[in-house]
Amino acid sequence: MTTLFSGIEQYENTIAIIDENQNPISYQKLCNDAQALTLEYQHSKQLVFIRAQNNYATVLAYVACVLAGFPVLLVANENQVQLDELISRYHPNIVVTTDTSKPIFKLLNQTDIKLHSELSHLLSTSGSTGSPKLVKLSHGNIKANCDGIIKYLDLTAEDRGITSLPIHYSYGLSLLNIHLRIGASIVLTELSVVNESFWELYKKHKVTSFSGVPYSFQSLESTRFDFNDYPSTRYVTQAGGKLSTTSILHFAKQLKDNNNQFFVMYGQTEASPRISYLPPKYVFEY
């Protein structure tokens, strides 16, 4: 089975992750750790829920499940009520905790669940009712979405991202997916984008892109933030709702000063996140 991360072992000693303690982790270590995690569960396809945080334990558990072909759902670690409701409704085989340096796989249900062979990801959406529902994505869905984003961002193995959004959020997960799929790297942090320490990490590790939702940019704009203070930045993406034209032009102008790009995007969980974008050359006609 070809999965989203099939073949990432080829990147070997290239840095995949800079973890929450600022330790560099290679693709080789990530793959070795991931394969060791799922060995005892390979006898059948498992439905796995991960209590997600922006840390290495979460990334390791997630990559392990994807490589093993286990359908996976990431749930906010702190949202116990939502997790309990989802467990009660969907009866996953395994729930993974990520509060320690290595994820802990807890077997909850030994029943063989009938899972489609192409089922890869479950993404949470409230829909119009406010109750949690799960969108099903196939291996083909998630790979095509990532490859499309990688192509129009011109992403390469030289790029480095940062977790400016929660990994359990579809947009935040997409950031992780595209970087690992292409052999790039990503810095893990739980810090808010309005925390000075976030931008110290950004500058220290020469992060090449920033991604945010409207609230992210509104908060930065209120602090007189300027991307020109972070010369490693190559491009910026915005999705997760409508950002005002004034704010779009404000940040696009900053980036244009250094020949960098601002991508305005639109996405729906049901079609995989980030399904369309405005080419940066048209932003000033927006």
Side-chain angles (χ1 to χ4, degrees), residues 254-272:
Q254 287 182 6
L255 292 156
K256 187 180 180 183
D257 288 345
N258 283 322
N259 296 314
N260 296 318
Q261 297 177 305
F262 190 91
F263 290 84
V264 180
M265 300 179 171
Y266 172 76
Q268 293 178 342
T269 306
E270 292 81 356
S272 192

Side-chain angles (χ1 to χ4, degrees), residues 41 114 131 167 202-203 209 257-258 279 281:
Y41 303 105
K114 292 183 179 179
S131 60
I167 291 175
Y202 190 103
K203 183 171 283 189
S209 65
D257 288 345
N258 283 322
K281 65 181 180 181

Side-chain angles (χ1 to χ4, degrees), residues 149 151-154 171 210 212 217 234-239 248 252 255 260-266 274 276-281 283:
I149 295 169
K151 183 177 180 179
Y152 68 70
L153 293 179
D154 196 23
Y171 185 11
F210 174 80
F217 291 99
R234 185 173 72 78
Y235 69 89
V236 171
T237 71
Q238 182 268 313
I248 290 171
L255 292 156
N260 296 318
Q261 297 177 305
F262 190 91
F263 290 84
V264 180
M265 300 179 171
Y266 172 76
R274 299 202 282 175
S276 65
Y277 73 103
L278 179 69
K281 65 181 180 181
V283 166

